[in-house]
Amino acid sequence: MGMKYIKLLGITLGVIVVNIVLFSPGFIGLNIGGNAFSTAFGITFLLASVLVLIYSVYSVNAKTPAAVPVKQIQTHDDYVNALQYYKKVKALEADISLALNQLDRIARKKYKLVGVLTQRFDPSELSYKKFMSTVQAVENVFYLNLKSILNRLGAFDESEFKSLSGSKASHLPPELLQERKQIYNEYLTFTKNSLATNEEILLKLDKLLLEISRLDSFEAGDIEKMPCMQEIDLLINQTKYYKN
């Protein structure tokens, strides 16, 4: 059981014990329906108990989960959970929403591609294997871009970023303030550029799906000559040189 649930259980038990002490005849013995003071105090305390429990449930579940270590990220859901951690950062909100949207879209596109390829080829055929190899390779590039984003966001300090436009920023020398802004702008620029690359990958997968659906018959050797396959191969090769 997680610590947050243990904490919630402790609060709930505490509220129950206090209510038992207040309303049990063997202790204080408040009686709703008795005298006016006892009734008013009893009702007020019951309402307060309910509010405490509601607030406790909300506060425990509303807390942002800890950031997932990037080296532990492996599956599609791992990437979703890792990105969710940064969704409440105001400066990153739009970019993180786009990244999550892209994750959903690439899963759907791969599902469609696998479906189309399975209908047209036997999985043992060379053509099927060539297409799937390329799809897997470009998908790896997609996730590599997200991992690179998460690596940099791990060093992103939201409070420090906010301070660059606050009242404290006016006390810094202009040169120092500009240099600090440049550092944080690099975080944001890198994120946007990586997301733009992923958007390009999604577009190329759409093109590939369209090209495959247009084919009537072809030889396995013709696959490398397909325009979209060449574009995807170029993107994959370029990525090897500038991503870590």
Side-chain angles (χ1 to χ4, degrees):
M1 183 182 294
M3 287 302 298
K4 66 179 183 179
Y5 296 110
I6 294 175
K7 180 179 179 180
L8 183 58
L9 179 60
I11 294 172
T12 303
L13 290 175
V15 171
I16 292 173
V17 169
V18 172
N19 275 274
I20 290 173
V21 171
L22 286 175
F23 292 98
S24 175
F27 294 98
I28 296 177
L30 286 178
N31 182 19
I32 296 176
N35 61 62
F37 174 80
S38 180
T39 298
F41 187 82
I43 292 174
T44 300
F45 192 84
L46 284 175
L47 290 174
S49 297
V50 172
L51 291 175
V52 167
L53 290 175
I54 292 174
Y55 177 77
S56 298
V57 171
Y58 172 79
S59 62
V60 166
N61 289 288
K63 288 183 179 179
T64 303
V68 179
V70 177
K71 63 181 180 180
Q72 294 181 13
I73 298 174
Q74 296 181 350
T75 68
H76 178 93
D77 288 341
D78 289 340
Y79 280 95
V80 172
N81 293 333
L83 287 166
Q84 287 282 4
Y85 176 79
Y86 298 100
K87 198 171 183 181
K88 293 184 179 181
V89 179
K90 190 69 174 177
L92 302 170
E93 186 178 1
D95 290 331
I96 298 303
S97 293
L98 175 58
L100 291 168
N101 174 265
Q102 289 178 340
L103 273 167
D104 178 62
R105 287 155 62 200
I106 197 169
R108 287 189 280 111
K109 292 181 193 303
K110 184 179 180 182
Y111 178 80
K112 288 181 180 179
L113 275 164
V114 172
V116 169
L117 291 172
T118 303
Q119 289 175 5
R120 294 184 65 98
F121 311 102
D122 187 279
S124 62
E125 288 184 56
L126 181 59
S127 296
Y128 180 91
K129 292 178 180 178
K130 283 190 174 183
F131 277 122
M132 283 303 301
S133 176
T134 298
V135 171
Q136 186 62 56
V138 78
E139 184 185 30
N140 289 342
V141 173
F142 178 94
Y143 286 112
L144 177 62
N145 285 334
L146 291 182
K147 185 164 286 189
S148 296
I149 290 174
L150 289 167
N151 272 324
R152 283 158 177 77
L153 293 186
F156 186 89
D157 189 324
E158 184 185 12
S159 60
E160 190 80 11
F161 177 77
K162 288 180 178 179
S163 71
L164 297 178
S165 57
S167 57
K168 293 181 180 179
S170 60
H171 301 299
L172 295 174
E175 298 81 4
L176 180 59
L177 180 61
Q178 182 59 36
E179 189 172 353
R180 290 178 64 184
K181 284 184 177 180
Q182 184 177 348
I183 290 174
Y184 279 93
N185 284 336
E186 286 181 9
Y187 284 111
L188 303 179
T189 300
F190 180 87
T191 298
K192 291 183 184 299
N193 288 342
S194 296
L195 292 176
T197 301
N198 278 358
E199 200 64 37
E200 186 180 357
I201 288 172
L202 292 167
L203 177 60
K204 292 188 186 305
L205 289 177
D206 278 334
K207 287 183 178 180
L208 180 60
L209 187 60
L210 179 60
E211 286 189 12
I212 294 173
S213 66
R214 285 175 174 173
L215 295 173
D216 293 322
S217 63
F218 65 99
E219 300 295 330
D222 295 332
I223 294 177
E224 288 82 357
K225 299 176 184 178
M226 293 173 63
C228 189
M229 290 290 282
Q230 292 177 346
E231 290 178 12
I232 291 175
D233 286 338
L234 179 61
L235 185 149
I236 292 170
N237 291 329
Q238 287 176 337
T239 303
K240 292 178 181 178
Y241 293 109
Y242 66 86
K243 288 291 180 186
N244 52 43

